[in-house]
Amino acid sequence: MCGIIGCFSEKDCYGRLLRALKKLEYRGYDSAGIALVHKNRRLHENYRLIVRKKKGYVSALEGAVISGDTGIGHTRWATHGVPCDRNAHPHVSGKFALVHNGIIENHAALRQELCEHGETFLSETDSEVIVKLIDRNYAGDFFAAVRAACARLEGSYAIAVISADHPGEIICARCKSPLIAAAGKGALYVCSDAPALAGEAEFFCPANDGEYIRIAEGKILFYDSAGNEIKKSFLRLPAQIAALEKGDKSFMEKEIAETPQALSDTLKSLHRTDFAPCARQLRGAKRFFAVACGTAYHAALAFRDRAEECLHIPVLCQTSSEFRYRSPLIGEGDVLVAISQSGETADTLEASRLAKERGAYLIAVTNVAHSSLAALADFPLLLRAGPEIAVAATKSYVCQLLAVFYLTAQAHFFKHTRMPVWFFELEKLSETVRAAEECFLQTSHLAKQLSQTFGMYYLGRGQDVVTAMEGALKVKEIACVYAEGYAAGELKHGTLALIEKGFPVIAIATDKKLAKKCENALAEVKARGGFCALFSQYEDVLSESCADFCCRLPSISEPLMPVVSVIPLQKFACEMCLLRGFDPDKPRNLAKSVTVE
Ligand code: M6R
């Protein structure tokens, strides 16, 4: 979603904003803008706002620097109004400029009311109503005007506002959208998330929902929803975030390469985690619920597969967006496992809030320790995947699988006082995943062969269905190839109709007892002229198959194979993306953190 930044710095404020916006581009990149309070040389007016905003990437803002020590910036992911210069943020009304991340749900009613009072709008965005409200509520007290405007808003927002009447001041508000304050050498910041400040800030402090941040007189101040000043503690920016650099390759390639390290860091952290506080819930649960979105939803499905098999209790798994609106039968005594890399995905947060309201116990699997989801959870289960910047989730997915499998093993222990057998192979996971990199040469050949395809299927049985779905999502998302991930057994029930000469089908077969069934599905594809590729750790499964392309995966205990088999599929998607001329870090229409519904 949109990224917002605010900066107060006597030195290089514009440059700092620009650098942060470049790092925020993973949150949205259909347009970008900056506004600064600029000291006017003309005598009759001391300060004025200068705004530069453009459709496209942040690089469009490079060039002439705007001077000034107080500024805000924005990378947009359009919700209301097409990407164009006019709809780009900052939005201005009178002496105020504003950037916004979120969605104002009552914007239409507010716009109508404002129009009836003679206001005219320059954009189609929901955000412009906020700056108009601030302007109308202003009677000399900047902070009071922002609070009065926020009191009228329904929906989600993190905003940063500057005013030509208040040089040196930035006022921010947070409601269901992430916002942090940060301090670095010679600069104070507010920002939608910490990675934007890599190399710039040393300390940070997240705001909670309903809180305000005010940068004024060279200080960062926090206020509660009633406008009373509150004291908060700042934390050192984690070293991995502070050192975030892409290098020559895309973030996606870098993050795939970091997976073995991410796994071993996550495993160490899981070993250190005290599960005793949730022992009663894990032992006593008659069923689990699991919610997540996108790739994280695939981790939820993998949790379902492993937990049902190990614990013999049902796991009801749903995408977060559907869970909320289906009157879920969740209540006291139930455990909800919510999975989210960012911990800020709006639907997952709302599903979790709903479950908690109904008395369920919330376990949150997240990669961001200071996220809203972690704060909401009864038991946060933290990944140590390190910052993931690429929109496509790779190392975080693999670590999510590790964490939910680990959770399953703990529940098994609390129920049966012993760990499942595969638990003892977790130590080998990182090196097995590293060994999977040997498949990359082959996947690169496969990508060359298939790069011009208009569509493809991914098939699997049992635990491989989820891997098929994740493989398909990845290639759709970054290579813009139409793809579907399916249970191979469903092929004959409709999908087969689309198979014709050369149509590519990728199958994953890591479960020996189901491998023959997967092979049968491939034979049916082959009989209709389709192109078959097969990934398995079993030499005999590969050699006996009819596949045109075979890739031998490194082997580990079967229940852990979903962690390994997805690695070549991630790399394949990345290769396809590059061959098709796309940027893996900027997938069309997508943003890393989906903080709006
Ligand atoms: O931060 P989250 O894990 O909650 O994000 C969920 C999805 O938006 C995310 O996994 C998305 O599907 C990825 N872009 C997939 O690569």
Side-chain angles (χ1 to χ4, degrees):
M1 303 294 99
C2 308
I4 66 168
I5 173 84
C7 174
F8 170 75
S9 173
E10 283 169 359
K11 226 169 127 193
D12 192 25
C13 187
Y14 189 82
R16 288 174 192 271
L17 288 167
L18 204 59
R19 288 198 292 280
L21 285 185
K22 281 201 170 158
K23 294 192 189 111
L24 272 176
E25 266 194 323
Y26 71 101
R27 290 186 67 99
Y29 30 83
D30 58 42
S31 40
I34 287 179
L36 272 101
V37 181
H38 172 77
K39 192 158 193 202
N40 213 333
R41 288 179 202 282
R42 279 179 287 154
L43 291 174
H44 61 282
E45 192 189 7
N46 280 337
Y47 291 93
R48 67 186 170 108
L49 294 172
I50 298 192
V51 180
R52 181 170 299 151
K53 52 187 195 172
K54 279 254 164 267
K55 180 181 171 197
Y57 293 154
V58 174
S59 49
L61 303 177
E62 281 167 346
V65 171
I66 309 170
S67 68
D69 57 15
T70 314
I72 52 176
H74 191 262
T75 55
R76 182 166 185 250
W77 186 89
T79 57
H80 297 68
V82 295
C84 63
D85 294 358
R86 204 180 62 257
N87 287 335
H89 298 218
H91 294 290
V92 174
S93 180
K95 293 194 168 178
F96 299 92
L98 161 136
V99 289
H100 167 224
N101 172 32
I103 288 184
I104 303 305
E105 287 171 0
N106 59 339
H107 75 99
L110 290 172
R111 181 181 276 251
Q112 193 183 338
E113 177 189 315
L114 288 160
C115 287
E116 282 163 10
H117 283 94
E119 297 286 351
T120 49
F121 285 80
L122 298 174
S123 77
E124 290 120 50
T125 65
D126 54 335
S127 313
E128 198 179 350
V129 298
I130 314 174
V131 72
K132 293 272 182 211
L133 284 171
I134 293 170
D135 194 12
R136 286 189 75 83
N137 279 293
Y138 182 66
D141 184 339
F142 184 14
F143 187 29
V146 173
R147 289 203 319 279
C150 289
R152 303 288 320 276
L153 305 177
E154 288 166 22
S156 61
Y157 53 85
I159 56 169
V161 195
I162 54 173
S163 167
D165 277 353
H166 298 267
E169 197 162 346
I170 306 173
I171 298 193
C172 308
R174 174 195 167 147
C175 174
K176 299 185 194 167
S177 287
L179 182 70
I180 62 163
K185 281 196 194 88
L188 303 176
Y189 297 95
V190 284
C191 190
S192 39
D193 52 352
L197 300 175
E200 308 280 344
E202 289 167 76
F203 299 95
F204 78 106
C205 176
N208 294 325
D209 269 348
E211 289 179 355
Y212 296 90
I213 303 173
R214 204 174 136 236
I215 292 181
E217 293 162 23
K219 285 189 281 204
I220 299 175
L221 305 160
F222 279 83
Y223 298 83
D224 66 14
S225 54
N228 304 308
E229 195 181 335
I230 46 175
K231 290 276 164 256
K232 305 261 282 189
S233 315
F234 276 67
L235 304 160
R236 188 168 278 282
L237 204 66
Q240 280 171 309
I241 293 183
L244 212 55
E245 280 299 334
K246 181 163 75 146
D248 330 329
K249 294 199 165 163
S250 63
F251 273 113
M252 184 180 181
E253 288 164 292
K254 177 178 175 274
E255 286 159 9
I256 292 174
E258 286 167 356
T259 305
Q261 188 61 49
L263 277 170
S264 66
D265 291 348
T266 299
L267 186 59
K268 269 189 222 137
S269 161
L270 290 169
H271 284 331
R272 283 197 298 265
T273 303
D274 179 11
F275 284 84
C278 64
R280 192 169 55 82
Q281 283 76 16
L282 292 182
R283 189 185 301 115
K286 298 271 176 299
R287 59 185 180 179
F288 284 108
F289 287 78
V291 293
C293 302
T295 288
Y297 174 64
H298 298 150
L301 291 173
F303 170 64
R304 178 202 63 192
D305 291 352
R306 198 75 326 116
E308 287 190 342
E309 167 198 277
C310 265
L311 308 173
H312 305 293
I313 57 170
V315 180
L316 305 158
C317 197
Q318 237 163 27
T319 55
S320 311
S321 52
E322 288 303 309
F323 177 86
R324 295 172 58 188
Y325 296 107
R326 288 195 67 214
S327 314
L329 302 170
I330 195 164
E332 273 181 40
D334 289 324
V335 176
L336 177 78
V337 178
I339 307 171
S340 170
Q341 185 284 129
S342 60
E344 300 295 349
T345 298
D347 282 319
T348 303
L349 281 170
E350 288 305 325
S352 302
R353 285 189 188 110
L354 176 74
K356 280 201 77 174
E357 273 161 32
R358 300 214 177 159
Y361 185 83
L362 175 64
I363 298 180
V365 178
T366 179
N367 194 31
V368 183
H370 300 287
S371 61
S372 307
L373 187 63
L376 192 64
D378 296 297
F379 189 79
L381 188 56
L382 299 179
L383 313 178
R384 300 284 175 202
E388 190 178 68
I389 303 299
V391 172
T394 55
K395 60 175 180 171
S396 70
Y397 174 64
V398 174
C399 291
Q400 283 166 354
L401 293 179
L402 168 59
V404 295
F405 291 173
Y406 202 101
L407 183 68
T408 306
Q410 288 294 331
H412 189 273
F413 178 79
F414 289 129
K415 274 173 179 273
H416 306 294
T417 60
R418 64 189 157 75
M419 291 294 190
V421 195
W422 49 260
F423 179 81
F424 303 97
E425 288 222 12
L426 287 176
E427 299 298 333
K428 289 194 208 153
L429 209 44
S430 172
E431 74 188 64
T432 315
V433 160
R434 196 177 292 287
E437 290 173 5
E438 280 171 29
C439 302
F440 288 178
L441 191 62
Q442 273 178 283
T443 46
S444 157
H445 288 314
L446 184 64
K448 282 192 189 112
Q449 222 170 326
L450 301 183
S451 66
Q452 296 312 313
T453 187
F454 66 91
M456 57 201 296
Y457 285 134
Y458 286 72
L459 299 180
R461 295 292 305 247
Q463 64 181 14
D464 297 322
V465 177
V466 172
T467 311
M469 290 166 74
E470 176 56 13
L473 176 61
K474 218 86 301 171
V475 86
K476 267 192 284 215
E477 180 181 23
I478 57 165
C480 295
V481 172
Y482 174 74
E484 283 301 329
Y486 257 95
E490 281 292 287
L491 190 65
K492 294 194 272 300
H493 298 284
T495 319
L496 200 55
L498 288 183
I499 302 293
E500 55 186 17
K501 194 164 180 312
F503 190 93
V505 174
I506 293 186
I508 307 103
T510 66
D511 182 337
K512 191 72 183 257
K513 66 180 184 308
L514 292 171
K516 260 281 151 264
K517 296 190 188 301
C518 188
E519 161 59 15
N520 292 345
L522 281 190
E524 287 158 9
V525 169
K526 196 75 204 272
R528 283 147 187 96
F531 172 88
C532 299
L534 180 61
F535 291 79
S536 176
Q537 74 274 42
Y538 296 115
E539 189 59 60
D540 55 336
V541 168
L542 294 169
S543 61
E544 288 164 23
S545 88
C546 62
D548 304 283
F549 167 97
C550 289
C551 182
R552 172 96 187 262
L553 299 166
S555 176
I556 195 163
S557 172
E558 262 188 16
L560 301 182
M561 278 306 289
V563 181
V564 178
S565 54
V566 75
I567 305 289
L569 302 185
Q570 293 173 341
K571 184 69 175 175
F572 169 74
C574 191
E575 296 279 347
M576 288 283 279
C577 164
L578 294 167
L579 288 166
R580 291 166 68 84
F582 297 110
D583 179 346
D585 292 341
K586 296 196 177 75
R588 190 160 69 196
N589 303 335
L590 300 179
K592 180 66 176 166
S593 190
V594 185
T595 51
V596 296
E597 207 185 317

